[in-house]
Structure formats: structure tokens, C-alpha cells
Amino acid sequence: MAAEQDPEARAAARPLLTDLYQATMALGYWRAGRAQEQAEFELFFRGCPFGGAFALAAGLRDCVRFLRAFRLQDADVQFLASMLPSDTDPAFFEHLRALDCSDVTVRALPEGSLAFPGVSCRVCGPLLVVQLLETPLLCLVSYASLIATNAARLRLIAGPKKRLLEMGLRRAQGPDGGLTASTYSYLGGFDGSSNVLAGQLRGVPLAGTLAHSFITSFLGTEVPPNPMLAPAASQGPVVDLAACVEAWLGRVCAHLGLGVQEPHRGERAAFVAYALAFPQAFQGLLDTYSVQRSGLPNFLAVALALGELGYRAVGVRLDSGDLLQQAQEIRRVFRSISAQFQMPWLESVSITVSNNIDEEELTRLAQEGSEVNVIGIGTNVVTCPRQPSLGCVYKLVSVGGQPRMKLTEDPEKQTLPGSKAAFRLLGADGSPLLDLLQLAEEAPPQAGQELRVWPRGAQGACTVRPAHVEPLLRLWVQQGQLCEPLPSLAESRAFAQLSLSRLSPEHKRLEQPALYRVALSDKLQALVARLRAGGSS
């Protein structure tokens, strides 16, 4: 299969980003004459992450990129040859050189879909090839879905009005993890990222200002090569911004009851330098020295000087201390200064906070009456400390059209046999009731039809009458060809928020939620019972 021209295709994953036993099994299949047998695997997870009742499906775009570019290069084959027995038939390696995914078919949940245990993705094709795909596909889906779900939880806590920024690249598990986290935190509901590469490659909106190092690099003795700034409307004479700031500082300090010598000179020089570079987007980092005695008055002096020229400062950031309390105090000062100097826009200047924010602190920052507008989260979104892995699995369910089932003493690790279809049964208000798994050969369930189903984990069957029925697994790749355009990242993000809005509050609860039901059809339940009783066929 010819790979489309996509600079990200091989960056997403390479064929040898896999486990060695995939290669040893490939040799075993080939030696047994089974390489071309048609097989079907299912990729799914067994339990919702973070103690919640839902997950978001993510990673499909990366999987499709990987499949369309899949081809073992000569160097790949040579390396595998060095790992396998020296007497391996050379014809096997020629077979590997010719491999691609032109006979592979993928049905999966659209990115941004609500996902529940046992329902995610089907991969069909020649046994040897689809076996080789196991580890890369798991790698591409598991972390992406975990990040998207973590981001969705944080969005639910923050509510719709707070802006959430992902700022975790420096805390991520390597460059690939950083790019994945920035991409899929956006899909999960964040508003943007500090990761420039995610902006370039994935179109994630970017945000960023300055660090403490920029501020501490200034002593206050520096002379700007050109301190002059023209008015925003480009009418009127240019103004020495530094001199204007000094004039405003005296007025601000008098209003705040501070001595004019208290605000740090170097910090003020840094703010002036930044304002000269970004007069339309000036922001101040307030906590390098002292928020109340230095950062805030210095910011206000620069903001008011810019305001006099027709510019409007866009925000401040706090990175330490009691963020909620400081935001309240800063807003109070903004309102007071705004009234004192007739600068009405100042009272609504955005307040951004960051500093190892987790779910508990986010809950506090998002409470009613909070003056925080933007929340930057790094470590606790990209590393998913509450659960570092989603635990996706990739299991064989059919070979040559015959069902296969893993029987084990651990009931949770038993698989569901056979090629299957999945449907979401909805109530009259459009909210999901349960997800139904059935054999692909069965007729789809119909709206208004009473169905007997077998909820997983329950002792017996129950009946349900859905008002609406949605098929879940869409055909994305058939015989190696893309069947429909993949949604953009922004479209998948919007779809994720729509999907979450339809989920009942009891299932969206982040602590002790009601578990969402996934059920089997009568025929699938009967097949499971038969194979359990008689052993795997």
C-alpha cells in the first residue's frame, strides 16, 4: 500500500516500535503456513480510568497514519534477521519486505467518542500482519485516550467558562509523550498548549508569555535601545515608554500606599522590555519578588502607560502561593485602580494561575466567585498521576471466520469471541442507556424494540427498550484504503464535548460514579457460554 505524503506518518510510530514476540510469532505463523489466514483482533480497555465511569476514545488519526505508512525497510528486516535464529529461511525475510496494510480493515469509535469497557476498535486482515500491529496500535491508542480522558475530567471540574492551558511539555515522558499529551489534552477539552510543535504539526492553539528567568535577567540599569512607542491608533507622537511608566509608578504607589522605591527596578525594566515587544499583548508575571509590593504595582504602571497610548494589557500570571486568595486581592486592586484612573478595561484583565494544579486545587480555583480566568496545568495532565496507564489490550476474536476466546481462571481476563458489532442504546432525551455488543451477523437493534440483554458483571438478563440506536464502530479503513476523511482535531474536540454533554450526571461524577452498563446480546451470551463449557475451538 502506497503511503500518502504525510510528514507525521513515520513520526507517529515505526513498524519496529513493537515487542520482540510479535516478530517471533510472525515467524511461527509463516512457518505454519498461516500468514494469510483472515483474522480479527479487538482493541479495548477493561476498566474506566481514574475511578470514573467513562473514557474518551483517542489516537485513531495516529493509527491510520501508521497503517498507511506501514512498511518494513531493509534496515528493519536486517535487524530482525539478527534477532531471529540464524537458520531462519531467507524467504521469511522476503515476505516481511513485501508486507504492508493493503489488506487491513479497521472499524473504530470516532475520536472524541465516549468509550466504555470492551468497546473500541476492530482490526481485520491477514493473521501475520494484524498480529504485528498489536503493540504499535496499543501504544498509539492507550496514552492518547488516557490523556484525553484526564483532560475531560479536568474540564468537567473547571466548568465551561475557565480557560485551561496545557503547560506540561517539560514534565512529559519524553518528546513523543509531550506531543501526544499536548494534542489529546486539547481534544479532551483544554483550550490550548504551550507546546509549539503541537501547534505546528497538529494545529493546537498556542499560548505563552514569559518566565521568571526573563524578569530576573534585568537589573533595572539596562537602557532599551529604542524605548519609544507609537500610539495604538498610529496617530500622535511616539512616547518614551520607560519614562511614562516611571511617571505612572508614582501615581500607582501613592494610591496603593507604597513607597516608590519598593517595586523592584529590574522587574519593572523586564515588564517595559516585554511591553515594547508586545504592546498589543502585554502580560505580567507577578510573583518573581513580591506580588503586592512589586509585581502588581510594576504591572499596573506599565499597563496604565500602555493604556494612555491606546493599548490594553491582556493579563497577569501567578505561579506560587495561595492562588485563589491572591487572585481575589489582585481583582480588588484592578477595580480600585480602574475607577481611580478611569481605565474601565483594567478591572476585567485576565488572571492566569499555574503551579502544580491537581483536581483538588482545580476544584478550589473553579468555585463560585473565583476571580481566576485561566488555569495552566502541566504535570497533572501530562503524567496522569492518578492512573499512569489505561491498560488497553488487543485480543484475537476470530480466525478464518471461526470465533476464538481466551479462557482463563481470571474471569476479568476472559475475552468475548467472534466478530462483533456495537451499538449505543439511547433514551428519549438522547442520553446513553447502555452499549450493546452483538455478533456481526445479527440484525441491528431497532428503536422502540424491546431487547433482552446481558449486562456484563450482572447475574442475569434484563430488558431494555431504546428510543434511539446509534451504531458505534465506523468503517475507517477498508482493504488499506481510507473510507472517509478523518475529522480534524478541532472537530474531534467539539464532538468530545458534545458526547460528554449527553452523558448523565450520575455517570459524569468524578467520585463514586454510577457505572455505565455494557451488555451482550442473547446470541453473543450463548456463544460465550458454549465456549466456556466446551473449551476454545
Side-chain angles (χ1 to χ4, degrees), residues 14 51 79 95 110 147 169 180 188 217 222 269 289 303 424 445 481 488:
R14 299 181 183 182
F79 181 77
H95 181 81
I147 287 288
L169 178 58
T180 299
S217 73
E222 298 83 4
Y289 301 109
R424 183 153 294 158
Q481 298 300 310
S488 69

Side-chain angles (χ1 to χ4, degrees), residues 484-508:
E484 61 176 292
L486 291 167
S488 69
L489 182 60
E491 289 170 335
S492 295
R493 179 182 184 273
F495 181 61
Q497 295 307 302
L498 175 63
S499 299
L500 283 166
S501 73
R502 296 169 61 186
L503 189 63
S504 70
E506 64 181 4
H507 294 128
K508 282 192 285 194

Side-chain angles (χ1 to χ4, degrees), residues 162 324 328 335 364-372:
K162 305 292 186 190
L324 180 66
Q328 302 292 109
R335 290 176 178 138
R364 184 168 174 265
L365 294 171
Q367 67 184 265
E368 186 72 25
S370 168
E371 295 292 353
V372 171

Side-chain angles (χ1 to χ4, degrees), residues 314-513:
V314 298
V316 297
R317 180 164 73 94
L318 297 166
D319 193 47
S320 59
D322 187 330
L323 302 174
L324 180 66
Q325 181 61 34
Q326 289 185 97
Q328 302 292 109
E329 294 170 356
I330 289 167
R331 184 69 68 202
R332 178 185 59 79
V333 172
F334 282 173
R335 290 176 178 138
S336 174
I337 292 288
S338 172
Q340 175 69 20
F341 298 112
Q342 300 299 299
M343 296 278 190
W345 53 267
L346 184 59
E347 66 179 46
S348 59
V349 163
S350 179
I351 300 175
T352 299
V353 298
S354 56
N355 187 24
N356 201 32
I357 294 168
D358 57 15
E359 288 189 359
E360 182 179 355
E361 177 66 5
L362 180 60
T363 301
R364 184 168 174 265
L365 294 171
Q367 67 184 265
E368 186 72 25
S370 168
E371 295 292 353
V372 171
N373 304 108
V374 184
I375 302 166
I377 306 179
T379 304
N380 286 292
V381 65
V382 305
T383 66
C384 301
R386 291 191 55 171
Q387 183 175 328
S389 174
L390 181 55
C392 287
V393 293
Y394 184 89
K395 297 300 181 183
L396 181 69
V397 297
S398 174
V399 178
Q402 297 302 308
R404 293 291 187 269
M405 181 177 181
K406 178 183 177 182
L407 294 171
T408 173
E409 294 177 353
D410 184 350
E412 290 188 1
K413 289 201 167 186
Q414 292 182 1
T415 59
L416 295 176
S419 180
K420 292 180 283 297
F423 299 89
R424 183 153 294 158
L425 308 187
L426 307 171
D429 62 353
S431 62
L433 302 174
L434 61 80
D435 283 5
L436 176 66
L437 298 175
Q438 64 177 50
L439 295 173
E441 65 199 40
E442 297 183 62
Q446 300 297 313
Q449 171 189 6
E450 185 173 272
L451 303 169
R452 188 170 79 148
V453 299
W454 297 77
R456 303 193 72 183
Q459 295 300 314
C462 67
T463 58
V464 62
R465 189 187 300 272
H468 309 280
V469 176
E470 289 182 354
L472 290 179
L473 304 181
R474 287 174 49 181
L475 181 63
W476 296 102
V477 176
Q478 185 169 35
Q479 298 295 301
Q481 298 300 310
L482 189 63
C483 296
E484 61 176 292
L486 291 167
S488 69
L489 182 60
E491 289 170 335
S492 295
R493 179 182 184 273
F495 181 61
Q497 295 307 302
L498 175 63
S499 299
L500 283 166
S501 73
R502 296 169 61 186
L503 189 63
S504 70
E506 64 181 4
H507 294 128
K508 282 192 285 194
R509 284 200 307 263
L510 302 186
E511 301 295 336
Q512 299 182 328

